[in-house]
Structures are given as structure tokens and as C-alpha cells.
């Protein structure tokens, strides 16, 4: 019956194939999902969170911590590692045992579902959101002998925002109760989130224990890749340096770095003359992967557009120059379009043909358009810079 | 039977132009399928002798080519996209065989063969027995799954998870989500079956609240859970800018761009191959003759000119198929070959201007009002006008003429004006129309000068004085 179903994906008939050569091995290791045993370059942050949680568990008190940083800087991974280590220490009885509960704002449909998920992970009970809130309130406010400390990790905190902010208020208010023994670790992207979206009484309960994860520098990214590869020799030194320098300059996102390396191994594999004798991943392969992932598709799209579409783009620019504005109606552009057609020696272009070209450019977002029922009065803007358009049209 | 084919065909192809693939609209296909079944039954009876009567040959031709043009039948091998084909195939193969999670976006303008590429890759991939047994597929379309709740139910249904009974999915939205995530979390790289998610109209999924579905799919693909491959298909080039930062970070930034870098000679060649009959055609002699006639057709100068014009206006394959379809529908038993004139006629149909055609159907009074509006536009440089101004302008024209043939009452003029508004040839400036009286409501003309002049030239029995009035520069 669906009520007591155990969620699972059917298992496969044939086991997955294991990697056979160096590049495949490297690719498996470089996949974002294969989180290493210990995270390089986050020792300081690890230590801070570790001592914060450890002290709370030993003292049997509660508290909050706010962790921020741009995506892909290892926030969640670090917290998970801390919890793994603490669990290990608790298993050998050096600190009192504790519960670990994790919720993620993006993985629930509504902020109030947080109560349901916390309750279910703590006690296994299923309840509606309101009922779960009451039960949790009772659990955290009434004294109970031999209650274990609970560590609650709230990922993507900004998604728990509601108009009255009661979910966030409760999450930060429970740790302040005397008997709660609750440690709340919250993770979000922006550093100033508490000041921006929280009302005073919520922000004050969150407290000032904050930590921000800086984006990785190029040396750190390089170290991360090397530690992942763990002596599998698949990359040239320079190639690694190029990837890490490029990514560090753009975002410092470790996921991006790993994805590019993985793509580079594929390119290397394809470019090799026979599959058995693939060399190391070199500069050229990495360059190609970087181009693929960072280059903008607009220029090739303009180059490959049909003649009328290219003419329309030129007409748009001509009209913008004439008006001195960055916006024109279709009718104004169309006059230029007709003139350009005459100059180019093409046959006269009809209104519906011109509009079709305009709509096609709008559909792939080279142009930004108003709704098409406005007909001739529809206003047109460029979604790319004029220089890009001119460059793309001139190049051939 | 033939007739019914001809009349229905354009509506199907226009359905497919909107990006709804045929397998999601079974009821649309059924009547065509019935027709094909009848055709096949008819052809089986007479397959013994080599030469079939012309009538049956034509039915065969119609059914083969119609399937090619209207049903977007997959070609044997995708043309001109070998590199992209290989990239996608390798990627999905690795998910299927090695259990590696991946995400990829296929981006390209409409009608460049994104879905065709994907379907070709899937056909080749599932041709492998080992893959076919292991892989689970989930197909979602942004036009059908308009919010995450529906999408989740659809995923659960297509995966046959345990909270489904028959085709019904139990539990609330939140329960469905946690059930699915739990199921995916239980899996691992080496033992659970890989799942392929195909998200058609990917950009519409980015409009869902919080992008929950995308976040979770990408998150699963980036963590050690059940292996999944997420393939998004979209025509928007700026699709990555629609994604939230945390969703974007989890996406692997692999994009496969499809652009048609066709030259005109390739385009001509493609028209020829698309229109030619395959070698497996039952009547070899007829097929030979047909293919020869198509070859001469494509070498014809006037046809080449027309095709050049279509090529200039757009390179997408759907508009080419539309043209060929219109051409094909003129082939009948009485006229078993395609002539250049058919193609010219089809092209005329394709390129005709809808607004100008609408003007042909107007009465003289309505046409006069349109001309008056044109003059107002000329004099006041596109400022909006109301009925009073138009009527005055019209009266000026009447005064200059002794003939009082067009002397209509105000209510009649008003009716004509309203009719123009209903046809959306004119449009109110602001939507709040309830406050002002109808005579004083400001309007704008939705026609270009060239359209008005063209329509006047072709208008049946247009009075000369009206024509002259239209030509004159100042009212």
C-alpha cells in the first residue's frame, strides 16, 4: 500500500562498469559527487565550526551559527565533515552522544514543511505542519531527563522566509530555551542576510556567531584538484594551473573547476588517435573545455542566422543610431530593414516576413520584444551589445 | 480520403511548430494513423505485381512524404551535427554504463533539430540491449508540467515509484517531493538503475517557484546518489541567466549548441533529398520517375529563385517542410508529378501577407476610413486619432467630390469603425476604454503604408477616386 511504501529506485541488472584507464579513473575521482575524506583548504573553517559545536555538546547548552558564502565554496561539505568527525568522537565516548538533523530550504515545498521534516527526523512521527510545530515546541521547552543534544543544520536559510518570519523565529528561539539543548547551524549565500530580510527579534536571536566562506583562490583550487586526483597522473601541471587560475578569476566555484577538468578529460579522450594510447590532458584540451563552458553563444548564433535576420539586426542598430535611443518600434526598424534590402539588392520584404524574422530573433533572445499582439507598435530592444552584433556581422 | 488528408495536414504541422511533439498528443495523430493504415492495407493487396496503378503509387507517395514532413520522422542518421551527436551519445552512455551523473543543455533556435538530435541519440542508445534493460526514462515538457507539483506527479508516475497505484499518485506535494528525494538518496552509483530526465522547453521550468525541481535534479546529479542524467532542451540562448545562482552552480555548464550553418547549395540538396522517394518504394519505375522529376524541379531557375528567397528568410527546417507539404498537396492522380508552378504557388501561399489579405475583405467605406487614418498618420506623424478626426478627414474627401455616393450617416461610419477595431486593424491607445465615449477614444493604426497601398492595388473594383485620394500626399 502507498502509505507504508519504502522509497527506492529499482536496482540494475548488470553492475555499473568500473573505470578501465587512467582518464576514466581521473574522471570518476573528479566528479563533484565523490567528496574526499578530508577537505583541503578549509582547515580553519573546519576548526571553528568543530570547536563551536563541540563546546555546545559538552556543555549541554544551545546556540546558533550563521555560515555564508557564494555557491561552491564548500560550506555544506565542511559542516558535514564536522558532523562526521564529531559522530566518530561520540562513538568512542569522548563526548556525549547527540542527534544530527538536516533540512534544506530548497528541498521543501513550503517553509512550514520544516517543522514536519524536523519532527520526522527526530522522532519518526508524521504530522501536519501545525501539529508538528506544537509538538516541537513542547519537546524543546519542557525539561526532560537524559535528553541528548540535537544539532540542526538548516541549508538554504533564505527559503524559509515567510511574511511573519515565524519559522525562522522558532528555529532561533528554541536554542535559547533552558532545556532545549539545540545547536542550529544555518547556511545561506549572502553575508548580510540577517540584516536584509530578518526583523529585529529574529536577527537578534540568531546572534553574532557568524562565519563567511571566501571564494577559493587559484592555489587552493589547484590543491583541491590535486588532492582529488590523489596521484593519478592524468593532467599536465600547466593545464591544472590554467583551469584554477581561470575559475578563480571568475567565481572561485570549486564545482565549476571540477566540471571543466572532467570535460577536458573527455576532450582528451576524443582527440586521441586510438583509445588505448591517450596521453595526458594538456593545455589545448583544457583551453577547449574552457571555451566551451565560458564562451557566449550569441556571436555564433548571429553568424549562423539567415540573411533576413542579419539584415533585421543591422536595421535595429541603424535605427538606434538614428534615434539615439536603445529602443525602437517594429515599424521604425522595418523602414530601415526595407531600405537595407534595397541596398543589398534583395527583393522587397513584406511586413509578415519582417515580423517573422523579428519573432525568431526574439524567441532565441537576441532581441527583447513586447508581446506580439501589439503588431507594428511592438517595441524592440537588443539583448546583446551593439559591438557584439557588429563584430559578428563583420567577421565574414 | 485524399481530400481529408489535404485539409487536415496544415493544422497538424502547425501543432508541431509550437514545439509539442507528436507522441504527447495521441488524439491528434489518430485520424492520420487511420488513414495510413487504410493506405497500407490497400498497398498490401497489390504488392505482387511490380507496377502498381498510378493511384496507388500516389497514395504511397503521399503517406511516405507526409510522414516525413508532418510527423517529423527521424532520419537514418542526423545530418551536419555529428560532433554534437557524438558528444551527447558519449555522455548518456557514460550515465547508462558507468553510472556517472551528468547534466547538459541542448540550445538552439526553433526548428534546428534539437529534439531530432536527442531522439536519434536515444534510439541509438536504447538499441544497446544492456542499456535498454538498465535505463529508466522520464520525459517532461514545460508546456504540460506547468508547475512543480504536476511535474513531480509525472516523475513519480513515469518512474513507477511505490506511492503510485496504477496511474494515480498518492500524497501531498510535500510528501511526493520528500518521497522522490528519499528514493533517489537511497540509490548509489553502482547498483541502482540510472534515470534519464529529459526536460523539454527547459526555460519554462526555470519560471517555477524557487526553481525547486531544477535545484533538486541538479543537486542529485552532483551528489553521490542514484545516477541521473538531466537533459534540457530549449531555444533560449540566455537560459543560464534564468537560473538562480545556487541552481546554476550545480549545473555542469555543458551546453550543446545547435545552429544551422547551412549554405544555399546544401539547402537545395536537402530539399531534393527530402522530396525524393526512398529506394524501398514498391514501384521502382515510378520512384525513378518521381526522383528524376524532383531533380529537374530543383534545377529549374525559377524554383531556385524561390528557394533562395525562403533560404534568405529562414534556415529552419520546419518552414521548409511547410513549403514542401503545400507543394505535395497539389499532387494528385490526374497530375502525378510536381511542377515548378506548384512550388511557386506554394511559396506564394507561404509568403502572403495576412493583413493585406484581410484588407481585401473590407467594404469601400471601411477602406475609405483606413485611407483617412493613413492621411492622419502622415499629417500628424503617427499621433493617435479618434473617430471624429477620421470622420472629418473622410468628409473633406467627400466635399471635394460632387458625387455623393459615399455620404453615410454617422452611425454607419461608427459601425464600420467598430468593425475595424474588431479585426484589430486599429487598436485603442490605452486599455481603460470604459471612461471615454467611443467617438473620442484614441486609436492607433496597426497597418504599414506598404500594406495599404498593396491592398488598394489588388482590391477588386476599387473606385478610381478613392485610389487617387489614397495616392495624394495631403488628404
Amino acid at each position: 500500500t502507498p502509505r507504508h511504501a519504502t522509497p527506492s529506485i529499482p536496482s540494475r541488472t548488470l553492475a555499473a562498469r568500473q573505470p578501465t584507464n587512467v582518464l576514466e579513473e581521473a574522471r570518476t575521482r573528479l566528479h563533484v559527487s565523490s567528496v574526499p575524506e578530508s577537505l583541503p583548504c578549509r582547515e580553519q573553517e573546519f576548526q571553528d565550526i568543530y570547536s563551536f559545536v563541540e563546546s555546545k555538546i559538552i556543555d549541554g547548552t544551545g546556540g546558533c551559527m550563521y555560515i555564508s558564502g557564494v555557491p561552491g565554496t564548500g560550506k555544506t561539505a565542511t559542516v558535514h565533515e564536522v558532523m562526521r568527525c564529531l559522530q566518530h568522537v561520540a562513538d568512542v565516548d569522548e563526548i556525549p552522544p547527540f542527534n544530527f538533523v538536516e533540512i534544506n530550504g530548497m528541498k521543501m515545498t513550503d517553509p512550514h514543511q520544516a517543522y514536519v521534516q524536523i519532527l520526522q527526523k527526530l522522532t519518526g512521527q508524521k504530522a501536519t505542519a501545525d501539529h508538528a510545530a506544537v509538538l516541537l515546541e513542547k519537546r524543546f521547552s519542557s525539561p526532560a531527563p537524559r535528553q541528548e543534544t540535537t544539532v540542526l543544520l538548516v541549508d538554504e536559510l533564505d527559503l524559509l522566509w515567510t511574511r511573519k518570519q515565524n519559522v525562522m523565529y522558532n528555529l532561533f528561539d528554541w536554542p535559547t530555551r533552558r532545556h532545549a539543548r539545540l545547536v542550529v547551524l544555518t547556511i545561506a549565500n549572502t553575508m548580510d542576510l540577517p540584516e536584509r530580510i530578518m526583523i529585529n527579534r529574529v536577527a537578534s536571536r540568531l546572534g553574532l556567531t557568524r562565519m563567511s566562506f571566501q571564494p577559493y583562490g587559484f592555489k587552493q583550487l589547484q590543491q583541491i584538484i590535486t588532492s582529488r586526483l590523489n596521484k593519478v597522473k592524468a593532467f599536465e601541471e600547466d593545464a591544472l594551473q590554467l583551469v584554477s587560475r581561470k575559475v578563480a578569476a571568475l567565481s572561485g566555484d570549486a564545482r565549476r573547476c571540477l566540471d571543466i577538468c572532467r570535460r577536458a578529460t573527455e576532450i582528451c579522450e576524443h582527440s586521441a588517435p586510438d583509445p588505448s594510447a591517450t596521453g595526458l590532458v594538456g593545455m589545448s584540451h583544457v583551453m577547449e573545455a574552457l571555451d566551451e563552458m565560458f564562451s557566449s553563444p550569441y556571436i555564433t548564433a548571429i553568424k549562423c542566422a539567415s540573411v533576413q535576420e542579419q539584415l533585421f539586426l543591422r536595421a535595429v542598430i541603424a535605427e538606434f543610431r538614428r534615434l539615439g535611443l536603445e529602443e525602437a518600434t517594429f515599424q521604425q526598424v522595418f523602414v530601415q530593414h526595407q531600405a537595407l534590402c534595397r541596398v543589398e539588392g534583395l527583393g522587397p520584404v513584406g511586413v509578415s516576413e519582417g515580423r517573422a524574422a523579428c519573432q525568431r530573433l526574439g524567441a532565441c533572445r537576441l532581441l527583447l520584444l513586447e508581446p506580439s499582439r501589439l503588431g507594428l507598435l511592438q517595441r524592440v530592444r537588443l539583448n546583446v551589445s551593439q559591438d557584439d552584433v557588429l563584430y559578428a556581422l563583420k567577421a565574414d | 480520403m485524399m481530400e481529408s488528408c489535404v485539409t487536415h495536414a496544415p493544422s497538424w504541422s502547425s501543432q508541431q511548430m509550437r514545439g509539442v511533439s507528436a507522441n504527447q498528443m495521441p488524439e491528434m495523430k489518430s485520424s492520420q494513423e487511420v488513414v495510413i493504415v487504410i493506405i497500407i492495407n490497400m498497398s498490401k493487396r497489390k504488392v505482387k505485381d511490380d507496377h502498381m496503378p498510378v493511384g496507388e503509387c500516389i497514395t504511397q507517395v503521399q503517406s511516405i512524404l507526409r510522414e516525413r514532413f508532418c510527423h517529423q520522422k527521424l532520419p537514418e542518421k542526423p545530418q551536419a551535427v555529428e560532433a554534437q551527436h557524438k558528444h551527447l551519445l558519449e555522455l548518456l552512455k557514460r550515465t547508462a554504463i558507468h553510472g556517472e551523473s551528468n547534466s547538459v543543455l541542448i540550445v538552439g533556435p526553433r526548428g534546428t533539430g534539437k529534439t531530432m538530435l536527442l531522439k536519434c541519440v536515444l534510439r541509438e542508445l536504447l538499441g544497446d540491449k544492456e542499456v535498454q534493460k538498465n535505463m529508466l526514462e522520464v520525459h517532461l515538457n514545460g508546456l504540460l508540467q506547468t508547475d512543480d507539483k504536476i511535474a513531480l506527479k509525472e516523475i513519480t508516475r513515469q518512474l513507477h515509484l511505490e506511492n503510485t497505484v496504477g496511474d494515480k499518485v498518492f500524497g501531498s506535494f510535500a510528501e511526493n517531493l520528500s518521497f522522490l528525494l528519499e528514493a533517489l538518496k537511497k540509490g548509489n552509483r553502482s547498483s541502482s538503475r540510472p534515470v534519464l530526465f529529459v526536460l523539454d522547453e527547459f526555460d519554462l521550468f526555470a519560471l517555477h517557484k524557487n526553481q525547486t525541481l531544477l535545484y533538486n535534479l541538479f543537486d542529485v546529479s552532483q551528489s553521490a546518489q542514484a545516477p541521473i542524467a538531466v537533459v534540457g532542451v530549449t531555444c533560449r540562448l540566455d537560459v543560464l541567466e534564468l537560473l538562480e545562482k545556487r541552481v546554476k552552480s550545480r549545473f555542469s555548464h555543458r551546453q550543446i549548441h545547435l545552429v544551422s550553418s547551412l549554405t544555399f547549395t546544401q539547402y537545395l540538396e536537402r530539399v531534393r533529398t527530402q522530396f525524393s522517394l526512398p529506394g524501398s518504394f514498391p514501384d521502382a519505375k515510378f520512384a525513378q520517375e518521381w526522383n528524376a522529376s524532383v531533380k529537374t524541379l530543383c534545377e529549374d531557375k525559377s524554383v531556385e529563385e524561390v528557394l533562395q528567397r525562403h533560404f534568405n528568410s529562414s534556415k529552419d527546417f520546419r518552414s521548409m517542410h511547410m513549403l514542401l507539404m503545400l507543394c505535395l498537396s497539389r499532387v494528385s492522380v490526374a497530375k502525378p508529378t510536381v511542377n515548378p508552378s506548384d512550388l511557386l504557388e506554394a511559396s506564394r501561399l507561404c509568403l502572403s501577407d495576412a493583413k493585406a489579405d484581410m484588407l481585401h475583405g473590407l467594404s469601400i467605406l471601411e477602406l475609405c476610413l483606413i485611407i483617412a487614418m493613413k492621411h492622419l498618420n502622415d499629417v500628424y506623424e503617427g499621433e493617435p486619432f479618434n473617430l471624429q478626426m477620421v470622420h472629418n478627414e473622410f468628409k473633406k474627401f467627400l466635399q471635394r467630390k460632387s458625387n455623393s455616393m459615399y455620404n453615410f450617416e454617422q452611425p454607419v461610419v461608427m459601425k464600420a469603425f467598430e468593425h475595424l477595431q474588431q479585426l484589430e486593424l486599429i487598436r485603442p491607445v490605452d486599455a481603460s476604454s470604459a471612461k471615454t465615449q467611443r467617438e473620442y477614444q484614441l486609436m492607433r493604426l496597426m497597418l504599414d503604408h506598404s500594406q495599404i497601398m498593396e491592398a488598394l492595388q489588388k482590391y477588386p473594383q476599387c473606385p478610381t477616386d478613392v485610389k487617387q485620394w489614397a495616392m495624394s500626399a495631403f488628404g
Side-chain angles (χ1 to χ4, degrees):
Chain A
T1 54
R3 284 237 164 258
H4 308 286
T6 44
S8 69
I9 293 282
S11 56
R12 50 195 296 163
T13 48
L14 282 162
R17 212 178 283 169
Q18 291 306 311
T20 51
N21 63 18
V22 177
L23 284 177
E24 282 180 9
E25 174 76 30
R27 197 149 55 223
T28 328
R29 283 166 182 276
L30 285 173
H31 197 280
V32 185
S33 67
S34 57
V35 180
E37 284 304 302
S38 78
L39 291 171
C41 313
R42 287 294 178 220
E43 289 83 13
Q44 186 57 47
E45 285 84 356
F46 175 85
Q47 202 51 50
D48 289 355
I49 301 173
Y50 186 90
S51 48
F52 175 80
V53 180
E54 190 190 26
S55 68
K56 299 286 178 207
I57 292 176
I58 291 174
D59 297 349
T61 54
C64 293
M65 185 176 204
Y66 177 70
I67 302 168
S68 65
V70 291
T73 46
K75 302 180 293 295
T76 313
T78 307
V79 173
H80 278 154
E81 205 193 338
V82 168
M83 296 325 293
R84 246 198 335 266
C85 285
L86 282 170
Q87 199 70 58
H88 190 71
V89 176
D91 284 344
V92 297
D93 275 340
E94 281 177 22
I95 57 166
F98 62 93
N99 280 330
F100 175 52
V101 174
E102 181 187 4
I103 59 169
N104 184 326
M106 279 300 253
K107 292 189 179 173
M108 50 187 94
T109 52
D110 175 271
H112 296 282
Q113 286 294 321
Y115 300 131
V116 181
Q117 294 203 355
I118 295 171
L119 185 73
Q120 194 180 6
K121 282 172 185 164
L122 272 179
T123 64
Q125 273 177 286
K126 265 189 181 177
T128 61
D130 292 338
H131 188 52
V134 173
L135 288 177
L136 285 174
E137 180 73 37
K138 207 194 279 170
R139 182 189 163 107
F140 289 126
S141 54
S142 62
R146 297 188 56 237
Q147 187 170 328
E148 293 178 352
T149 301
T150 306
V151 181
L152 174 64
L153 169 63
V154 184
D155 212 339
E156 312 291 358
L157 177 70
D158 47 334
L159 267 297
L160 294 183
W161 187 88
T162 51
R163 185 180 295 276
K164 284 170 133 181
Q165 307 196 357
N166 45 2
V167 177
M168 282 205 259
Y169 178 83
N170 277 333
L171 281 181
F172 302 143
D173 193 44
W174 291 333
T176 61
R177 311 278 170 78
R178 248 184 64 207
H179 307 288
R181 296 183 147 213
L182 180 65
V183 183
V184 179
L185 303 173
T186 54
I187 300 182
N189 290 146
T190 42
M191 214 196 277
D192 58 345
L193 188 80
E195 284 73 33
R196 263 192 318 128
I197 68 167
M198 293 183 198
I199 49 179
N200 284 337
R201 59 194 161 97
V202 176
S204 110
R205 275 172 178 76
L206 174 58
L208 294 171
T209 321
R210 305 213 183 150
M211 168 178 285
S212 78
F213 279 59
Q214 297 303 318
Y216 291 114
F218 85 91
K219 282 219 171 102
Q220 291 173 314
L221 287 173
Q222 206 172 345
Q223 201 182 329
I224 289 172
I225 305 174
T226 345
S227 83
R228 287 246 179 173
L229 283 173
N230 192 17
K231 304 213 182 73
V232 173
K233 186 75 185 133
F235 279 84
E236 283 172 17
E237 266 323 292
D238 292 349
L240 282 189
Q241 195 168 43
L242 179 68
V243 175
S244 38
R245 273 182 192 273
K246 272 268 185 193
V247 174
L250 271 157
S251 61
D253 187 336
R255 291 196 188 106
R256 194 71 332 103
C257 206
L258 296 171
D259 282 332
I260 291 170
C261 290
R262 214 150 57 85
R263 177 72 190 131
T265 60
E266 284 170 26
I267 292 172
C268 176
E269 204 168 59
H270 288 169
S271 61
D274 68 308
S276 56
T278 49
L280 294 183
V281 180
M283 281 296 247
S284 58
H285 307 126
V286 168
M287 281 299 270
E288 200 180 327
L290 281 168
D291 273 353
E292 252 177 47
M293 292 207 177
F294 288 129
S295 69
S296 119
Y298 293 114
I299 296 203
T300 33
I302 296 174
K303 272 185 189 164
C304 293
S306 72
V307 176
Q308 293 290 355
E309 286 160 10
Q310 289 183 343
L311 276 186
F312 193 84
L313 281 175
R314 278 169 59 187
V316 169
I317 289 184
E319 187 61 20
F320 284 178
R321 293 234 168 110
R322 192 181 71 85
L323 293 170
L325 293 172
E326 292 284 282
E327 185 178 280
T329 64
F330 172 79
Q331 197 162 21
Q332 291 168 322
V333 176
F334 184 64
V335 173
Q336 299 277 355
H337 188 186
Q338 279 175 317
L340 277 175
C341 272
R342 276 195 292 276
V343 172
E344 294 289 323
L346 297 169
V349 54
V351 178
S352 54
E353 205 180 333
R355 270 180 61 72
C358 176
Q359 293 300 338
R360 274 198 300 274
L361 291 172
C364 62
R365 298 293 151 147
L366 286 170
L367 295 179
L368 295 175
L369 303 174
E370 282 189 309
S372 60
R373 64 193 168 80
L374 289 172
L376 296 174
L377 309 175
Q378 183 180 37
R379 273 177 301 197
V380 177
R381 294 171 73 165
L382 274 179
N383 196 22
V384 257
S385 76
Q386 293 195 13
D387 296 333
D388 280 0
V389 179
L390 291 176
Y391 169 76
L393 292 177
K394 208 172 280 171
D396 45 70
Chain B
M1 188 180 69
M2 224 33 196
E3 279 310 305
S4 77
C5 274
V6 172
T7 48
H8 277 91
S11 72
W12 290 326
S13 53
S14 71
Q15 277 295 343
Q16 292 180 340
M17 298 268 270
R18 264 173 252 143
V20 181
S21 59
N23 56 3
Q24 270 136 352
M25 315 201 78
E27 72 279 5
M28 301 293 291
K29 259 172 77 174
S30 58
S31 60
Q32 169 81 356
E33 264 166 10
V34 171
V35 174
I36 291 172
V37 167
I38 295 168
I39 291 168
I40 290 167
N41 285 343
M42 281 172 62
S43 65
K44 267 186 189 158
R45 248 182 284 139
K46 282 244 178 165
V47 89
K48 283 159 242 155
D49 51 347
D50 200 18
H51 291 293
M52 300 194 298
V54 181
E56 266 181 37
C57 283
I58 293 293
T59 15
Q60 279 283 328
V61 169
Q62 294 272 4
S63 80
I64 289 172
L65 293 185
R66 260 165 221 278
E67 194 170 356
R68 208 179 274 168
F69 299 148
C70 303
H71 289 201
Q72 320 281 340
K73 193 177 173 236
L74 291 185
E76 293 296 306
K77 194 96 185 125
Q79 294 158 354
V81 286
E82 281 79 20
Q84 287 96 328
H85 181 259
K86 195 176 169 200
H87 184 178
L88 192 59
L89 184 64
E90 291 284 316
L91 193 79
L92 294 184
K93 237 185 204 160
R94 276 207 306 279
T95 303
I97 294 170
H98 294 273
E100 181 185 287
S101 294
N102 274 311
S103 48
V104 66
L105 274 180
I106 306 176
V107 186
R110 292 210 183 277
T112 40
K114 302 180 289 291
T115 311
M116 192 269 297
L117 172 70
L118 182 61
K119 279 187 179 161
C120 281
V121 167
L122 283 184
R123 186 178 59 183
E124 197 164 323
L125 191 67
L126 295 177
D128 191 344
K129 274 276 152 46
E130 189 189 338
V131 173
Q132 199 180 9
K133 261 189 261 169
N134 279 326
M135 188 104 114
L136 297 168
E137 282 178 77
V138 176
H139 290 266
L140 301 174
N141 190 319
L143 290 166
L144 295 172
Q145 280 77 44
T146 46
D147 66 23
D148 283 346
K149 194 174 173 178
I150 306 172
L152 266 175
K153 284 211 162 159
E154 188 63 24
I155 293 173
T156 320
R157 198 182 65 73
Q158 292 191 19
L159 282 179
H160 299 295
L161 290 185
E162 284 182 33
N163 56 345
T164 54
V165 173
D167 267 355
K168 277 241 166 68
V169 179
F170 287 91
S172 68
F173 180 27
E175 279 170 353
N176 284 335
L177 180 66
S178 57
F179 195 89
L180 176 70
L181 292 178
E182 201 58 38
L184 289 169
K185 210 171 174 180
K186 284 256 178 74
N188 68 26
R189 204 177 81 87
S190 50
S191 70
S192 49
R193 290 171 75 173
V195 188
L196 169 69
F197 287 91
V198 176
L199 306 182
D200 217 341
E201 308 290 340
F202 180 83
D203 46 319
L204 297 180
F205 284 99
L207 304 181
H208 293 181
K209 190 184 162 230
N210 290 342
Q211 306 186 341
T212 312
L213 183 72
L214 294 184
Y215 177 91
N216 285 308
L217 286 183
F218 287 145
D219 195 51
V220 171
S221 82
Q222 298 247 306
S223 52
Q225 302 180 5
I228 68 167
V230 184
V231 181
V233 182
T234 179
C235 66
R236 281 182 68 160
L237 295 174
D238 63 346
V239 62
L240 280 190
E241 287 157 41
L242 295 175
L243 297 181
E244 259 195 76
K245 251 196 303 184
R246 50 189 149 219
V247 182
K248 196 173 164 183
S249 166
R250 281 167 175 78
F251 170 57
S252 73
H253 283 240
R254 279 166 203 271
Q255 294 190 61
I256 297 180
H257 288 286
L258 284 181
V259 284
S260 55
S261 48
L262 228 54
T263 60
F264 181 58
T265 37
Q266 285 167 332
Y267 186 84
L268 262 183
E269 180 57 27
R270 202 175 153 107
V271 169
R272 203 178 63 72
T273 51
Q274 284 288 308
F275 223 164
S276 301
L277 290 175
S280 58
F281 194 75
D283 188 338
K285 184 155 168 284
F286 183 87
Q288 216 171 9
E289 278 169 16
W290 174 273
N291 288 349
S293 83
V294 168
K295 192 151 182 284
T296 46
L297 176 80
C298 287
E299 280 158 4
D300 189 274
K301 265 279 163 292
S302 59
V303 167
E304 206 166 293
E305 236 164 64
V306 166
L307 288 177
Q308 175 83 55
R309 173 128 194 249
H310 278 268
F311 175 73
N312 278 351
S313 92
S314 106
K315 287 181 184 175
D316 90 37
F317 298 133
R318 290 224 183 88
S319 62
M320 182 211 282
H321 285 167
M322 187 72 162
L323 183 73
L324 297 184
M325 185 62 220
L326 286 172
C327 204
L328 174 70
S329 60
R330 301 174 73 83
V331 172
S332 63
V333 182
K335 195 177 77 60
T337 52
V338 270
N339 301 334
S341 64
D342 293 335
L343 195 87
L344 299 189
E345 185 60 23
S347 148
R348 203 186 53 76
L349 269 179
C350 275
L351 291 174
S352 76
D353 190 272
K355 281 272 172 65
D357 289 347
M358 249 155 101
L359 287 178
H360 293 182
L362 295 183
S363 68
I364 290 286
L365 170 62
E366 285 155 355
L367 200 63
C368 286
L369 290 184
I370 294 257
I371 293 167
M373 290 170 199
K374 173 190 163 264
H375 286 317
L376 282 174
N377 260 347
D378 285 346
V379 175
Y380 301 113
E381 288 167 341
E383 286 297 303
F385 48 79
N386 60 24
L387 174 59
Q388 286 298 318
M389 294 160 76
V390 176
H391 199 184
N392 276 342
E393 192 71 23
F394 183 43
K395 273 184 197 152
K396 269 196 248 166
F397 164 62
L398 295 182
Q399 276 163 11
R400 278 194 286 130
K401 267 175 50 68
S402 53
N403 188 346
S404 62
M405 180 179 145
Y406 310 119
N407 227 343
F408 296 104
E409 301 286 325
Q410 166 88 6
V412 180
V413 175
M414 170 94 103
K415 262 274 175 263
F417 196 73
E418 274 172 7
H419 187 219
L420 290 179
Q421 193 182 341
Q422 276 165 1
L423 293 173
E424 294 213 3
L425 294 175
I426 52 176
R427 197 187 159 77
V429 172
D430 50 348
S432 60
S433 54
K435 281 175 194 160
T436 42
Q437 269 180 293
R438 263 179 296 179
E439 295 96 309
Y440 304 108
Q441 202 179 2
L442 287 177
M443 296 286 196
R444 273 186 207 279
L445 184 61
M446 306 283 284
L447 290 167
D448 193 57
H449 279 192
S450 59
Q451 285 172 312
I452 299 173
M453 298 323 273
E454 189 196 327
L456 269 176
Q457 295 304 325
K458 289 184 189 159
Y459 194 85
Q461 291 153 7
C462 182
T464 324
D465 44 359
V466 172
K467 232 182 221 174
Q468 279 169 350
W469 177 44
M471 302 289 187
S472 66
F474 302 101

